[in-house]
Amino acid sequence: DFGINGNSVSTYGLWLGGQVSPFPATGSINNLEIKNCVTAGLRLAYAQVVSIDNCNIISNGRGIESLAGDENTATSFYRTRSFGNTTEGAYFEQIWGFTFIQCNFESNGTEGVQIERVDGNTQSGITFQDCWFEDNMDAGGTGGANLFFSVAGGSSSETSIVKVIGCEFNGINTAA
């Protein structure tokens, strides 16, 4: 087991991937705790064929972040917990082929998971299986958005298959 503590001064706990496409991140991260980072605990940038297993991402600005242009593909999260982050437990603008199995998104300040279309970027082949979503609040703090998808900024055909299989949704679940 290994831990990264940003002590509320580090921008990111772990930046996984390169800044340009020829240098993608591949491999796996296991039994890691990332906490107290200002912007996000885990930033994915050109993460391709990555496995993240049994990690705790807690008390950061955002838990997990992937922004437009990052080109992340074929990344899997297993038994990973994003808990008590100031904003989203996970925020994605551009991902393909992401899988979340037995993950926990709980008590985050805004959405548990937000998948947002920015500048027409696509998100496809995303699966949430046997995950737990609980007590995540929307940005206004009065409603709920445990899992939020946006198709703004492009046609609905640009966001293809998103599967939610056997997940539990508890606590705040309805928008105000």
Side-chain angles (χ1 to χ4, degrees):
D1 293 355
F2 185 72
I4 298 171
N5 187 340
N7 290 317
S8 300
V9 293
S10 295
T11 303
Y12 294 101
L14 180 62
W15 183 298
L16 185 60
Q19 301 245 344
V20 292
S21 186
F23 304 102
T26 59
S28 65
I29 297 171
N30 302 295
N31 303 319
L32 175 66
E33 180 175 273
I34 305 172
K35 64 182 180 180
N36 300 323
C37 299
V38 176
T39 301
L42 176 61
R43 169 72 189 272
L44 302 172
Y46 296 100
Q48 300 174 3
V49 192
V50 174
S51 174
I52 298 167
D53 188 6
N54 198 34
C55 294
N56 286 309
I57 303 169
I58 57 174
S59 300
N60 301 288
R62 281 184 175 143
I64 305 163
E65 178 181 81
S66 169
L67 301 178
D70 286 343
E71 298 185 22
N72 296 297
T73 62
T75 295
S76 299
F77 291 82
Y78 302 97
R79 295 171 299 278
T80 291
R81 182 177 189 224
S82 187
F83 179 87
N85 297 291
T86 304
T87 60
E88 302 89 357
Y91 177 84
F92 303 110
E93 291 180 355
Q94 186 172 4
I95 58 174
W96 299 278
F98 269 43
T99 303
F100 300 85
I101 298 174
Q102 296 178 344
C103 292
N104 174 280
F105 301 94
E106 185 175 344
S107 297
N108 294 292
T110 60
E111 287 72 22
V113 176
Q114 181 171 347
I115 301 172
E116 186 75 39
R117 169 141 340 177
V118 175
D119 298 329
N121 288 314
T122 60
Q123 303 89 16
S124 64
I126 303 163
T127 302
F128 294 91
Q129 182 175 339
D130 299 324
C131 293
W132 182 270
F133 296 85
E134 182 173 358
D135 289 334
N136 297 293
M137 300 290 286
D138 71 359
T142 58
N146 278 315
L147 182 57
F148 177 81
F149 301 93
S150 170
V151 295
S155 71
S156 60
S157 65
E158 290 175 324
T159 298
S160 56
I161 300 170
V162 176
K163 297 178 187 176
V164 179
I165 304 164
C167 294
E168 292 283 334
F169 295 88
N170 295 289
I172 311 235
N173 287 312
T174 58

